[in-house]
Each structure stands twice: as structure tokens, then as C-alpha cells.
Amino acid sequence: MKKLILSLAATLAAVSLLQAQEPDYRFGKVSEEELRMERYDRDPDAEAVVLCEEVRTYYLIGNQFTRMTDYFIRIKVLKAEGKEYADVELPYVFQRENYASLDAVAYNLVDGKVVKTPLKKQYLFREQVGEEQWLLKFSVPEVREGTVIEYRYRMNSDFITYIPTIVVQHDIPTEYIRAAVEIPEYLRFNIDTKGYLSLDMQENVIAGRIAGTNVPYNVREIRLEGRDIPALKREPFVWNRNEYRSMIDFELSQLALPFTQVENFSSSWKDVNELLSKIDFNDNIHMGNPFKKEVDAIVAQKPAPRQMLHEILRMVQSHMKWDGKYRLMSPSPNDAVKRGSGNSAEINSVLMAAVKDAGFDVVPILLNPRSMGRLPQMYATLDGINTFILRVTLDDGKFAYLDGTDPDSDVDLLPTDLLVDRARIYGVSGDVGWCDLSRLAPGNTHINMTLGFDPELSVHGRITERYTNVPALRCSSAYGDARSEEEYVEALEEEHHIRIDSLTINGLRSAHLTQEFTMTREPETAGDFIYLNATIIPFLTENPFKSPERKYPVEFDNPASYTMQGVLRLPEGYVVEELPRAARFNAFDGDITCFYMAQATNGVIQFNMRFNQKRLIFLPEEYADLQAFYGAVVNICNSRIVLRKQQ
């Protein structure tokens, strides 16, 4: 019996110890252990860690509906870079949303004692960032390496048909998160969970009651709890990192307020099309052409259809500059014409009117730019559409695509942000309404080099670079963004590790661009040896895929091919000591290939490199092979041509 009592006592002691070690997640209950924490063992490189985050969204129903959100977060700053999490910006809509009960405190351990530094109310600032959009801004004081930050607030809003996204995964790891959303039966939302983490979500139905009455209603309660959530690391080749961030989105599907008619929202793409046909969007795409005289003059010249589209595009762009904002709708594109600038909806509505006036059949293509995330496949959405481009039917039945935002774009040559793999054809329902634009303009780069050595043993010669589609657009944009041609040349010299003596560019702002330049490069020398890069100018000097593993897909901008051909005449008195070995790589059933060969005859080295990539997207389970492939290509590019002086 004594043994049993001792065993029970030991068990109770162990339970008591576990309870004592469980952190206290109440505001103001920061522990000394949290303050002494120097690193987060699950992610030793983390600059900060969310120790606790709690969010609850619910509704108060009385004489009016109000959406409420209670929020609390505790963050441990582990490195100097983590101090940025003390700078907070909270968005709101003026006179319709409000923050109350806002508290923020910094906790530091000073001489073994906990020192609390609260935020003073006079250091809360408000900044207007749009017509009705504002930011409530503050910086938690006395934050440094080792500080624990806490802040909390209550936000009330009369936007009852919108529920803020619950972000489960941050750029830093999260030790514990708890979230709850309580939706009254009068509102129905589609719920979209994103990301690669498995979320522990539970749904219940609980009872609610209208304030000041005995009238009950049902509440859909959604709860989530998670521990040890890893950070969403920054990786190259990602269109939109938030697509892979674990979070929960809400989109209204039905509104059934008491004593009002039930309204359904975007339950199908047919519903989306019908709704768009009844609002500003429909008026805009049927507007009259404000540039009728200009279009008539272009049509009178009777150019070929694609050339006519090119000239109309350039004409509209010459009158209207893009303000950098993507929009699906606008109250008045004609006002934008008078201003000489507008958002994407205004510019493309005007462009559509001009193209239709020239006799073409035009249909809007609805999409979300890559940087804003893909349109959902599982349900229809209107809120998720942020812009549109134009699809023009040509005489031969083929399509041409136009967008007026980027001044360097052209017919079928869209900014890469718009080359999405999931767009919707306006007016078309069901699966046949999807449109893939990702392969619209495959890139091609061809570089030809004729080189030799000058008396000082510097490599000297002429390089011709021919760009097609996306590479041409990027070159035009780089040239246009440079403050001067000298600045553009300097950037090109840095990219190629050469000195440029003269430069000629033809085909700016078109799908076919050529630049030619004479160049000089100082090779590496050691005694009687000259060392040159395998391709003279760099192609790929380091592997872009450095992480040992990848949790989400690799997304390239567009299908691309790259060809480099060179002829290098040896300097007098030198012979070839070593050439890179010929190599040929073929991966993913030919979706990505690379070839290199160099040979020397009669004092001349000829080398050829070809790199082709057909696929845009590689899955996480393919990452190791993709990383290995790029590593092999880097090894080729970093191999050497070695010349030796004859004795």
C-alpha cells in the first residue's frame, strides 16, 4: 500500500510540474522563462517567434449588426532583425471601423528584474492611405534583442459581410495559436483553407440571442488550435508566397437578414457573370470609344490585324498612363481619359472600346495577377478577381491577347504578373470557362559572340543578343527604367562582368529585341596561363536552390530557351591546355535540358550552350532532382577554358 501511495504521489507531482511549465497565455502574464529565452529550438535561425496568438471574430446583433474581432499576440524578439515586429500597422475604413481597448507593452529583463514599458496613447498615429482607407500605426517602445512584445485590441466594424482572413502561418515560427469565428445563421460563407499544413479545425453549432430580446438564432462556430507552426520561409521562384501560407479565407455566399429577401452571392461562375452584367463592369466594357478619330486614322492605313492591334495599343498607352493599381471595375473610365492616367480597369476598358471600334470581336478575360494569388478552382468568386485583360478574335479564328498597363507590353506579350495559369473567360460558365495564359509568350534568348585577344591579352570582340517575348519585355523595361543609357550600360557591364565600348539596341517595346555591343573582359591570369569562364560571360554561376528541402512548388516565370554560341580566336603564342568536358543533361522527361560543348581547331575555340525549360511548375517532391539538375548546370558554367603560353 505504501508503494502505491508513493507511486500516486509521484504521478501527481509530475502532473503538477507539467501544469506549472505550461505558459500562461493571458495578457500581462509574461514569464521569466520567456524573457530568458535566447533561441527557438525548432528554428534556431529565427529572428523572432510568436509565443502566442489568439483571435476571435464574432457578431453582436441588436438594433444593428456589428462584426467584432478580439486580437492578442505575444512575440519574443531573438535577434536585432526581429525588432521590426514592434512596428505595427492596423488597417481600417474611416467612420465604419474602429479600434478600441488597444494596449501594447514591452517586457525586458534588467538586472534580473522584469521591466514593463507600456505604449503611451500619444504615440498612436493615423495615416490615410486611400479615399476611405486608413492605418492605425504604433511602435512598441524599448524593444531590443531579448524583448517580449505584447499587444491586444478590439475592433468593431459594420462590414458584416466580410470576415478577415485568419493567418495561421507567419514569416516567423509560431509556438501556439488559437482562433475562433462565430457566424450567425443569417450569413453564410464559403471557407477556403490554404497552405501545406494540416489544420486542426472543428465546427459546432451554438446558440445566440438577439440583444434585448428572447429571440434565439443558431451560430456556426469554427475553432482552430495549433502548436509549433513553422515559419513560411522566403524561397526563390514563387509567384505568390501567400498561396502557400496556411490560412483560412471567408467569402460570403448568402445573406438572409431578418425581414429581408435572401440574397445569394457567387455560387457559380454563371452567377458571377450575371452579377457583372448588372454593375459598372458591364457599362465600362460597352463604353463608347473616346479615341474615335485616332482609331479611324489607324484603320484607314489598312495594316495587318496584329499590326493594327499593336498600333491601337500604343495609341491608347500614349494617352493614358497606368497608375500601378489593378482593378476590375471603375466608376468612370472617361474621367481617366481626361486625367491621362488610370487603373487597369480604366485603361483596358478604353482599350477594349478602341479595339471594338476597329471591327474586332473582344472578350474580357478575368484574372488575378500572379502576385495576388490564383482564382479558386473549387468555387466561384467575385471578390477574388482583381483585373481583366482582352482576348481579340482574329480573321483566322485565332486569338490575340492585349493589356494596356505595361508600356512595354505588346500583342500577346503581357507582363509576367498577368501570365496566370488560371483565368476566366467572361460570359462563359463551367469548366470550359477556364483559360491558361502561362504559355502565351515563351521566352527565347540567343547570344552570339565573336571574340579574340588584344595585344594586352584582354578578351575583345562583338556580342549580339536577340530576345523574344518575355526577355524582350524585360530588356525594354530595364532600358526604360534606367535614368540614362549610361546607367543601363553600367548595369549590363555588371551583369556580364565586362566593359562595353559601344551599344546599339533595336526593337525596344516589341516582342523581338536585339542589342549589339563591343566588349572587353580582363581574363584571370597566372604565370603562363590564361583562365576563362566556359561561356566567357556568365550564364548561371550559383545554384538558386540552396535550401535542403522545399515545402511548396517551384514556379518559373515562363517557358524559356537560352542559346549561347561563341568563337574565340587564341592569342598568338598560346595553345589550349584544357577545355570543359562536353555535357548533356535531360531531366523530367525532357521538360528541362542542358547541353554544352567546346572544341578547338586551328587556333580557334568554338563553344555552344543550350538550355531549355518547357515546364513552369515543379512539385515539392521533385525539388531534390531540380536542385541537382541546376547544380550540374552551375558546375558546367563554372568550369574553365585554360590557355597556356608556348615555351
Side-chain angles (χ1 to χ4, degrees), residues 48-101:
V49 57
V50 177
L51 298 174
C52 171
E53 184 176 29
E54 296 183 353
V55 57
R56 178 187 173 220
T57 295
Y58 56 100
Y59 288 80
L60 297 181
I61 303 178
N63 294 330
Q64 61 182 27
F65 275 60
T66 304
R67 173 174 53 80
M68 310 291 293
T69 297
D70 292 341
Y71 184 83
F72 162 60
I73 192 168
R74 180 184 296 169
I75 301 171
K76 170 70 178 187
V77 177
L78 298 168
K79 298 180 180 179
E81 298 86 348
K83 292 191 296 183
E84 66 178 85
Y85 293 97
D87 300 324
V88 183
E89 295 182 349
L90 303 175
Y92 68 99
V93 176
F94 184 65
Q95 291 186 336
R96 300 193 63 180
E97 295 183 310
N98 182 54
Y99 289 97
S101 306

Side-chain angles (χ1 to χ4, degrees), residues 279-535:
I279 54 179
D280 286 346
F281 177 81
N282 187 67
D283 295 336
N284 292 346
I285 65 174
H286 290 96
M287 66 178 290
N289 177 18
F291 299 119
K292 186 167 182 58
K293 290 183 180 179
E294 291 85 345
V295 170
D296 288 345
I298 292 172
V299 172
Q301 298 299 316
K302 297 182 179 180
R306 287 183 179 273
Q307 181 61 29
M308 185 182 297
L309 292 175
H310 168 83
E311 293 182 18
I312 292 172
L313 173 64
R314 289 288 178 263
M315 181 273 297
V316 171
Q317 290 175 327
S318 70
H319 288 85
M320 300 181 70
K321 306 301 180 186
W322 184 42
D323 63 9
K325 298 176 183 176
Y326 284 117
R327 296 288 186 272
L328 179 62
M329 290 170 278
S330 170
S332 178
N334 281 308
D335 289 343
V337 172
K338 295 174 185 176
R339 293 194 306 269
S341 67
N343 59 44
S344 63
E346 292 163 338
I347 290 176
N348 284 338
S349 294
V350 173
L351 179 61
M352 185 172 182
V355 172
K356 286 169 68 176
D357 199 32
F360 291 96
D361 182 28
V362 190
V363 175
I365 302 293
L366 314 174
L367 57 89
N368 228 8
R370 287 178 176 179
S371 58
M372 296 182 176
R374 291 174 172 85
L375 294 180
Q377 273 188 313
M378 303 307 294
Y379 62 89
T381 179
L382 179 59
D383 293 342
I385 304 171
N386 281 284
T387 191
F388 69 93
I389 63 167
L390 310 181
R391 189 184 75 177
V392 183
T393 303
L394 304 176
D395 293 340
D396 57 5
K398 294 182 179 179
F399 299 127
Y401 296 85
L402 294 174
D403 172 74
T405 58
D406 190 327
D408 298 314
S409 66
D410 207 339
V411 180
D412 285 340
L413 180 57
L414 308 180
T416 54
D417 204 21
L418 301 180
L419 293 177
V420 299
D421 55 3
R422 200 183 298 165
R424 288 294 305 183
I425 305 166
Y426 174 58
V428 180
S429 301
D431 289 342
V432 293
W434 290 108
C435 179
D436 185 352
L437 304 173
S438 62
R439 299 179 177 276
L440 184 61
N444 182 280
T445 299
H446 186 96
I447 298 178
N448 192 281
M449 292 179 274
T450 304
L451 308 170
F453 287 83
D454 62 20
E456 286 75 32
L457 296 181
S458 298
V459 178
H460 183 77
R462 176 166 289 274
I463 296 180
T464 302
E465 299 179 336
R466 295 183 176 89
Y467 299 123
T468 303
N469 292 330
V470 170
L473 187 150
R474 287 177 177 158
C475 190
S476 293
S477 297
Y479 189 86
D481 291 342
R483 288 173 293 183
S484 64
E485 185 168 296
E486 289 75 16
E487 184 178 83
Y488 175 78
V489 169
E490 288 174 5
L492 192 60
E493 288 177 327
E494 184 176 352
E495 177 187 352
H496 288 339
H497 301 172
I498 59 176
R499 185 177 73 250
I500 294 176
D501 303 315
S502 64
L503 172 69
T504 302
I505 302 180
N506 293 303
L508 283 168
R509 301 183 68 201
S510 76
H512 301 278
L513 183 147
T514 299
Q515 63 181 14
E516 295 183 81
F517 49 86
T518 55
M519 55 75 72
T520 302
R521 177 167 185 170
E522 304 300 330
E524 182 183 342
T525 61
D528 292 337
F529 294 93
I530 297 175
Y531 301 92
L532 296 165
N533 185 275
T535 55

Side-chain angles (χ1 to χ4, degrees), residues 27-208:
F27 186 84
K29 300 297 182 179
V30 174
S31 68
E32 218 175 285
E33 182 183 359
E34 289 170 323
L35 285 165
R36 293 187 185 280
M37 180 185 198
E38 294 184 352
R39 73 171 195 166
Y40 183 57
D41 290 338
R42 293 179 178 272
D43 188 351
D45 296 327
E47 60 195 30
V49 57
V50 177
L51 298 174
C52 171
E53 184 176 29
E54 296 183 353
V55 57
R56 178 187 173 220
T57 295
Y58 56 100
Y59 288 80
L60 297 181
I61 303 178
N63 294 330
Q64 61 182 27
F65 275 60
T66 304
R67 173 174 53 80
M68 310 291 293
T69 297
D70 292 341
Y71 184 83
F72 162 60
I73 192 168
R74 180 184 296 169
I75 301 171
K76 170 70 178 187
V77 177
L78 298 168
K79 298 180 180 179
E81 298 86 348
K83 292 191 296 183
E84 66 178 85
Y85 293 97
D87 300 324
V88 183
E89 295 182 349
L90 303 175
Y92 68 99
V93 176
F94 184 65
Q95 291 186 336
R96 300 193 63 180
E97 295 183 310
N98 182 54
Y99 289 97
S101 306
L102 192 151
D103 296 296
V105 182
Y107 302 83
N108 289 289
L109 206 56
V110 180
D111 297 329
K113 295 182 180 179
V114 178
V115 176
K116 302 179 183 180
T117 309
L119 172 72
K120 296 180 179 179
K121 302 301 182 184
Q122 60 262 39
Y123 295 117
L124 287 172
F125 302 97
R126 300 179 188 273
E127 177 185 345
Q128 186 172 6
V129 292
E131 187 174 342
E132 295 181 332
Q133 290 72 39
W134 287 68
L135 292 175
L136 179 62
K137 303 171 70 172
F138 62 88
S139 293
V140 184
E142 296 298 328
V143 173
R144 49 189 176 267
E145 201 171 314
T147 302
V148 171
I149 302 165
E150 280 191 327
Y151 60 88
R152 65 181 178 181
Y153 59 78
R154 170 167 290 171
M155 194 252 207
N156 60 76
S157 171
D158 62 10
F159 290 107
I160 64 168
T161 59
Y162 168 75
I163 294 178
T165 296
I166 296 176
V167 178
V168 179
Q169 188 177 28
H170 299 289
D171 292 354
I172 54 177
T174 299
E175 199 167 60
Y176 176 74
I177 182 172
R178 180 165 57 204
V181 177
E182 299 163 16
I183 307 171
E185 62 181 89
Y186 311 116
L187 301 118
R188 292 186 181 178
F189 286 84
N190 292 319
I191 298 178
D192 185 17
T193 58
K194 296 181 178 179
Y196 278 70
L197 299 178
S198 178
L199 303 180
D200 182 17
M201 272 179 44
Q202 297 180 347
E203 283 202 35
N204 300 293
V205 176
I206 60 177

